[in-house]
Every structure is written in structure tokens, then in C-alpha cells.
Amino acid sequence: VPIHTALTRRFALQHPIVLAPMGGVSGGRLAATVSNAGALGFVGGGYGDLAWVERELELVAHGTTRPWGVGFITWSLTPQVLDLALRFKPCAVMLSFGDPVPWTTTIKASGCALFCQVQDRAGAAAAVTAGADFVVAQGTEAGGHGGRRSTFPLVPAVADMVAPTPVLAAGGVADGRGLAASIMLGAHGAVIGTRFYASVEALGHEKLKQEIAARGGDDTVRTRLFDLIRGHSWPARHDGRAVSNSFIAQWQDRQPEATRHTAELNDDFRQSQASGDVDGAMIWAGECMDLIRDVRPAAALVHEIGVAAEMAIRRAQALSA
Ligand SMILES: Cc1cc2nc3c(=O)[nH]c(=O)nc-3n(C[C@H](O)[C@H](O)[C@H](O)COP(=O)(O)O)c2cc1C
């Protein structure tokens, strides 16, 4: 029996699953594959590189006739990149990390649904005030940038706070049990990142995807190292969760020194990223790596996670029958 929620009804989805807008990883091919499989694909517009966004949005726009979206890191967004994205007629825009207010009028006037990804109650209140159609409550378990609260208590707290605005859970969901649990916590679906990084259609070196399949949640660390050496001005309350490796071990506690060598370190990790050298690359990934043991086609993931969640909910019903 399919799970019907405000998310599935709004976008006519088969499963209450959203592909996280992972910068540089959720490209147009992955987003289109996820949308074609009956979930909602988002392209990860990241810091808004115009050429990258244009190329990937062309791919998703030509790759599916189903609804899809695009996500941006709010504090880095510019009118130019938003205008470019809206020309491709997405159905949804997700804004994460920063004040959505300057962008909401343009996004809503285009007919897009506005998703705001938040990390705490203050962020949730700001999202509703800004007119969010969906609030994504992101726990610290998540891969990539985020905050300090955990998914399990944050999702129901935000759901209570922002009702009747529907909430989605992000952070730690990689299988049907996690999706079913998100629904039980009051969410209308889950935003899934790390699990889809380890998918055939994700952008990124094959060896980095295999590393996600090989490592576990104990092997992650929250870090600012990569932001520091890339010169990205992230607000102080956000760091990011990545796979720990020799590069992080070497520099994590020597950040003042790292700032004096940013050019070399930038070159080093970018080379590692391109060649798939897991010891030196920046591999954003979450605690749910424990549940990921292979790199799979994204459409199979959507189907398996969706069907397993339906079964988990049926099993839960049987407990009290
Ligand atoms: C590789 C990677 C890159 C990410 N990049 C972004 C991003 O550019 N913008 C954003 O809003 N969230 C980004 N995220 C966070 C996701 O939106 C989402 O909150 C997270 O993946 C959910 O947790 P999970 O990884 O446990 O599924 C990223 C996550 C990962 C794993």
C-alpha cells in the first residue's frame, strides 16, 4: 500500500522520498533518474557555479517530464544564478543555510514550491515566516553541512512548531526503516543524501562512492577544514560531516597553520578529489554509511527504500492489531 503524504500528493510521487541537493554530486542525470523512479529529484546547485548549474539543469530538464527541483546554499545565492535556474522551470527550489527571505518572492512568483532546510527551531520559525511550503528538519547525523541538533528529537519538534506546514526529515535515512521512522516522527517524507551519493548516477569518482560503501558511521567527523582551505565564508554555526581520512587527521587540529598553506592544500585535495584518492579527498557523508554496502542504481534505491518503508509501517500496524 503506497504511503500518501502532503509531499506525494503535491508532486504525484510514488514514494515520499526526496533526493538531497548535494552540491557537485546530485547532478541532472541523478535528479532525473530519481524523479523518473517516482520520487523527487533535486539538482545540487551548491555555491551556484553558473556553467555547472546550466549544464546539469539542461540534463534534468531533458531527462524527465516528472517534477524536479534545484537546491542552493542560501548565503551564496545570487540573483543571476536563481534567474538562470528558474528559466529551466523547476517545480521546487530548496534553500539551505541562511535567510530565505530575499529570495522567496521571486521563487514563489515562478510557481515553484519553496523548501527550506533548517537545523534548529529558530531556523524552522524563520522558514515558516518566509512562506516555506515544506520545512526540511536536518539532523547533525547528515552528510555535508549542517548543525548540532539530532534528527530524532528535531523532526517532531519542528513538525509541532510549523504545523500545518509539512515537514521532511533529513539526516540518517538510508533505508526503509529510516523512512518509516521519519513518517512516525511526523514527517511527510525524507530527504536522502549519503545513500544516493553511493549510486551509479551520482557525480563523483567511483572510488569515493566505494569508500562510502566500505566505511561506517563511526568513521565520520564534523569539520571546517575544507571550508577554510577553499576560502568559503560559512556562518560560524555550520560545519560539515565528512569521512575522516589522513588529510583530515593531519590538519583538523592545526587549522591556523592550514590557513597559511591554503593554496597548496586546495591543490592537494582537489587532485585527490579528481583522482579518487580517498586519503586526501573531501568526502561529505553521514552516519548512515553503516547501512550502505554497495553502489546501486538510483532507481533501484528509490524502489527498495519506498517498498521497505511500506512494509515497515505494515509490520508496525500488526504490532497493535
Ligand atoms: C555529498 C553531500 C553534499 C551535500 N551538499 C549539500 C548542498 O550543496 N546543499 C545542501 O543544502 N545540502 C547539502 N548536503 C546535505 C543534504 O541536503 C542532506 O541534508 C543530507 O544529505 C541528509 O542526510 P544524509 O546524508 O544522512 O542522507 C550534502 C550532503 C552530502 C552527503
Side-chain angles (χ1 to χ4, degrees):
V1 184
I3 301 169
H4 298 292
T5 69
L7 176 75
T8 62
R9 282 191 292 274
R10 170 91 185 233
F11 300 101
L13 308 181
Q14 276 169 274
H15 301 292
I17 295 172
V18 173
L19 164 67
M22 296 177 282
V25 171
S26 301
R29 181 170 164 236
L30 177 58
T33 303
V34 166
S35 287
N36 287 334
L40 185 60
F42 270 83
V43 171
Y47 301 94
D49 177 319
L50 282 169
W52 190 95
V53 169
E54 183 164 27
R55 186 183 68 227
E56 298 302 328
L57 294 190
E58 254 162 30
L59 283 175
V60 69
H62 289 110
T64 185
T65 54
R66 311 271 317 149
W68 57 271
V70 55
F72 293 107
I73 293 169
T74 319
W75 61 260
S76 75
L77 189 55
T78 62
Q80 205 187 2
V81 73
L82 181 60
D83 288 349
L84 170 72
L86 293 178
R87 284 207 291 277
F88 287 90
K89 308 263 179 256
C91 294
V93 173
M94 193 184 300
L95 298 181
S96 315
F97 316 116
D99 180 11
V101 167
W103 311 105
T104 52
T105 311
T106 310
I107 292 169
K108 296 206 136 203
S110 74
C112 281
L114 173 65
F115 288 56
C116 290
Q117 182 160 232
V118 305
Q119 291 74 37
D120 51 29
R121 286 165 53 91
V128 182
T129 307
D133 297 295
F134 291 86
V135 176
V136 181
Q138 184 208 37
T140 190
E141 299 92 321
H145 285 87
R148 286 196 302 271
R149 297 287 311 272
S150 298
T151 306
F152 209 90
L154 182 65
V155 169
V158 170
D160 288 348
M161 244 184 98
V162 306
T165 306
V167 169
L168 306 175
V173 179
D175 64 13
R177 293 169 296 181
L179 176 55
S182 304
I183 305 282
M184 295 299 169
L185 292 174
H188 287 251
V191 174
I192 300 181
T194 304
R195 176 61 269 198
F196 283 117
Y197 193 167
S199 74
V200 173
E201 295 84 355
L203 296 175
H205 202 286
E206 182 61 24
K207 286 185 186 155
L208 305 187
K209 299 181 188 178
Q210 292 295 348
E211 184 71 353
I212 289 176
R215 303 286 291 273
D218 291 350
D219 306 325
T220 68
V221 62
R222 296 203 72 88
T223 184
R224 295 177 200 283
L225 182 62
F226 297 108
D227 299 333
L228 194 79
I229 61 185
R230 289 184 297 177
H232 284 161
S233 324
W234 275 87
R237 62 183 178 283
H238 299 301
D239 54 8
R241 187 177 295 282
V243 178
S244 59
N245 58 13
S246 347
F247 185 75
I248 295 180
Q250 192 182 350
W251 293 104
Q252 176 86 333
D253 297 326
R254 292 161 60 204
Q255 299 198 6
E257 198 183 334
T259 48
R260 293 196 294 276
H261 297 94
T262 48
E264 294 151 59
L265 293 178
N266 223 332
D267 284 353
D268 286 355
F269 98 79
R270 283 181 198 281
Q271 273 173 31
S272 299
Q273 205 77 19
S275 66
D277 169 14
V278 296
D279 293 327
M282 171 184 78
I283 317 169
W284 298 120
E287 292 186 18
C288 65
M289 275 194 299
D290 294 318
L291 309 172
I292 302 170
R293 286 291 158 257
D294 51 10
V295 175
R296 297 178 61 68
L301 289 173
V302 169
H303 179 74
E304 286 159 13
I305 296 171
V307 169
E310 292 166 14
M311 283 167 53
I313 288 173
R314 274 208 299 282
R315 274 200 308 277
Q317 271 167 350
L319 290 176
S320 68

